[in-house]
Amino acid sequence: MKQVYFTAGPAEMYPTFEQHLRSAVEQQLGSISHRSQKFRSIYQFTAEQLRTLMNIPETHGIFFTGSASEVWERVVQNCVEHESFHLVNGSFSKKFYEYSASLRKYAHKQEKPFGEGFDYAEVEVPEYAELICVTHNETSSGVQMREPDIHKLKRSNLKKLIAVDMVSSAPYPELDFGVVDTAFFSVQKAFGLPAGLGVWIANEKCLAKAERLQKYEDATIGAHNSLPMLWKNFKNYETPATPNVISIFLLGKVAEDMNKIGADTVRKQTEEKYKLLNKYLETSRAFSPAVAEERHRSRTVVVANTRIPSPEVIAQVKVANMIVGSGYGPFKDSQIRIANFPAVSLEQVEALIGELKKLEN
Amino acid sequence: MKQVYFTAGPAEMYPTFEQHLRSAVEQQLGSISHRSQKFRSIYQFTAEQLRTLMNIPETHGIFFTGSASEVWERVVQNCVEHESFHLVNGSFSKKFYEYSASLRKYAHKQEKPFGEGFDYAEVEVPEYAELICVTHNETSSGVQMREPDIHKLKRSNLKKLIAVDMVSSAPYPELDFGVVDTAFFSVQKAFGLPAGLGVWIANEKCLAKAERLQKYEDATIGAHNSLPMLWKNFKNYETPATPNVISIFLLGKVAEDMNKIGADTVRKQTEEKYKLLNKYLETSRAFSPAVAEERHRSRTVVVANTRIPSPEVIAQVKVANMIVGSGYGPFKDSQIRIANFPAVSLEQVEALIGELKKLEN
């Protein structure tokens, strides 16, 4: 019996995944050269579908890495000489901060308790920070930072670069790439694909910074997947090393499927399912929203406090072949996380709520 | 019509690839958590199958990265404080050397003209080099360094670490992991799987070095996929970030298939096919071996000089649904490269030779 994964990534596969995978196998995409025209066409197609879906202008390149976690490292290596600044409100934004410190940068942070989010007005950016790192959607705590707040943050710090971690929300957020310098995500979240590919979007300002740093004798922008090397190859729709060709193909096809529905419709469907889940949690006797402020509640990873231990909740819905995630870290036993990605339908969300209701008594 | 890929990677898929991929999809492995027991069991199975196949002792951990190129970077970051030493005899061993220089290490090299290989006796290791980097199989030039020479090199430099790039030969070479400290490969070569996974084997000496470097305030071992972090997670058969779960599963299954045949038999089959190809090239009127010294000729990537321009050769065999690779870089038009990986059978190699013979007139 097939299970429906409401987990926050790896997650439920997009409904067309199997069909596209079969097509990849039939076309022998596991064997084609990454220096062939066939590969270049796949890269170009995927980049164009992502441009349409996420409104990414030509000022930004679209690159592929092994994972989004790798991009945390690449962004800092390529865009920071001395100081980075991080808004930390959960385990993944904290890891981004820790990566910068591991790379021996002066990493500043402004931190919130788990479950709380940031508004623009309260953010204090250190004077010498070169890069502002924000997490649009904290997978661990279910907290979001709203796009207008992200945009204001950049507009009031025009000389600094801004990086947006949209790992567990892309393509949902409407980022304005007129102001967002770099953003990144992985495919095993809202795109509903198997893990093994990170996507990095970066503009010419990031490239210029990396090229400047590369010339300093006492600095390093890393060796593998450096931004200048990725960009140089990207101009021909190639990659510096052999990439995950099949995953790039699948991403392009799923992005195309979403474009057929329309980005706005995909967003509206996400919001509709979110409202259903949120309303249920607000009125439930067994659950409550883990994030107090509604404006900070993630639309794609809904986190709930549970009255009974969450392993019991997880075990109960599993009987109905539904998989929900446990809370993260210290909240493992007191919270559940429900991914609200495009791969799960309104009907499946309704069915999940039906199962959760059984736990009210 | 299906084509047979004799390319050096991405390459022909292993005969059981499709069957294992179907199994992965049926088990919904794209959706399972990388913190689940199911994933830990997959990691453990794959590691155990690789230990059997390649005779890897428990002193060595087995880790997963985005690609083997990434491992070039990780090896240098984690095992070199100041100086590395590289045997360069082609484009990929040169890239390994360049990665070290990009990381601001003092990278020494001993270089051979394209198509020539190294013997132990001629290697001069710089006194202060901490890491000796050798390429067992140069994918670009078709040159190999024989295992006994690699082992002697380490035995006469016991205080240094040795790293073996076996990207386009693993699991063929019989490396003695009693002396080899670290080695790595990717799955799109001799394992016959789609690209998107690097495999890094490293021992406790490498770990100790990385842990020492990590404590220095002015050094960095990188942030993503650092050896201490990989090792800590490996103890529980986990990974620091979400890995390419399906690829790890496929690798374990293909390694198991090879173990059923037996590592020795897989090697003997490789040698049998190599001898057939080599004998043909030595006696052909249209081709000749690109590597002069027989002992330096790769057993897994056979490179030939062509009398007529190689694009014509490639186009001709393509009519028979066979894909051979062009020469690398400046040899693009004057050489062909024929992968001799386990995924291609003796009969397929014989059929390829039959096609090549048609070009003799």
Side-chain angles (χ1 to χ4, degrees), chain A residues 1-5 7 9-13 17-18 21 25 28 30-35 66-67 69-70 73-74 77 95 99 102-104 188 193-196 213-225 240-246, chain B residues 1-5 7 9-13 17-18 21 25 28 30-35 66-67 69-70 73-74 77 95 99 102-104 188 193-196 213-225 240-246:
Chain A
M1 184 69 189
K2 260 203 154 182
Q3 292 174 314
V4 181
Y5 283 83
T7 46
E12 180 70 13
M13 295 292 99
F17 157 66
E18 287 189 39
L21 183 63
V25 170
Q28 296 184 274
S31 299
I32 66 164
S33 167
H34 58 295
R35 303 286 174 223
S67 65
S69 307
E70 186 190 340
E73 180 181 56
R74 303 300 172 203
Q77 279 175 324
K95 276 193 187 171
Y99 267 45
S102 290
L103 293 167
R104 304 300 185 214
Q188 75 273 16
L193 290 169
L213 293 182
Q214 199 170 26
K215 285 181 194 137
Y216 299 162
E217 268 181 32
D218 56 345
T220 173
I221 59 169
H224 184 62
N225 283 344
T242 319
N244 189 334
V245 177
I246 289 186
Chain B
M1 183 71 190
K2 259 203 157 185
Q3 293 175 311
V4 182
Y5 282 84
T7 45
E12 180 69 13
M13 295 292 97
F17 157 66
E18 287 189 38
L21 184 63
V25 171
Q28 297 184 274
S31 300
I32 66 164
S33 167
H34 58 296
R35 304 286 174 221
S67 67
S69 305
E70 185 190 340
E73 182 181 55
R74 303 301 171 203
Q77 279 175 323
K95 276 192 187 172
Y99 266 45
S102 290
L103 293 167
R104 305 299 186 214
Q188 76 272 19
L193 289 170
L213 293 181
Q214 199 169 26
K215 285 181 195 135
Y216 299 163
E217 269 182 32
D218 56 346
T220 173
I221 58 170
H224 184 61
N225 282 344
T242 319
N244 190 333
V245 176
I246 289 186

Side-chain angles (χ1 to χ4, degrees), chain A residues 97-241:
Chain A
Y97 160 78
E98 288 167 349
Y99 267 45
S100 184
S102 290
L103 293 167
R104 304 300 185 214
K105 309 296 179 187
Y106 194 140
H108 303 264
K109 67 174 167 175
Q110 185 171 340
E111 198 162 3
K112 284 264 179 172
F114 200 86
E116 292 183 25
F118 287 98
D119 294 318
Y120 162 71
E122 65 192 323
V123 178
E124 291 175 49
V125 182
E127 186 177 355
Y128 295 110
E130 301 148 58
L131 177 72
I132 301 169
C133 302
V134 307
T135 301
H136 171 261
N137 197 70
E138 241 303 340
T139 324
S140 63
S141 61
V143 164
Q144 72 166 355
M145 184 164 181
R146 291 166 302 167
E147 297 96 311
D149 286 22
I150 293 172
H151 299 150
K152 278 185 216 159
L153 192 52
K154 166 71 188 194
R155 287 204 186 93
S156 57
N157 291 279
L158 282 175
K159 289 193 175 167
K160 301 181 192 302
L161 296 170
I162 191 163
V164 181
D165 177 332
M166 56 193 311
V167 166
S168 54
S169 55
Y172 172 76
E174 290 198 77
L175 287 187
D176 176 358
F177 284 101
V179 293
V180 170
D181 299 292
T182 179
F184 50 91
F185 62 89
S186 50
V187 298
Q188 75 273 16
K189 310 280 184 182
F191 281 94
L193 290 169
L197 188 73
V199 181
W200 183 14
I201 302 155
N203 70 5
E204 288 151 356
K205 287 180 198 165
C206 296
L207 176 65
K209 175 101 187 201
E211 286 175 338
R212 205 158 59 240
L213 293 182
Q214 199 170 26
K215 285 181 194 137
Y216 299 162
E217 268 181 32
D218 56 345
T220 173
I221 59 169
H224 184 62
N225 283 344
S226 75
L227 189 55
M229 192 57 81
L230 284 167
W231 203 298
K232 185 184 157 199
N233 279 270
F234 168 66
K235 282 183 181 170
N236 299 318
Y237 291 114
E238 289 190 18
T239 55

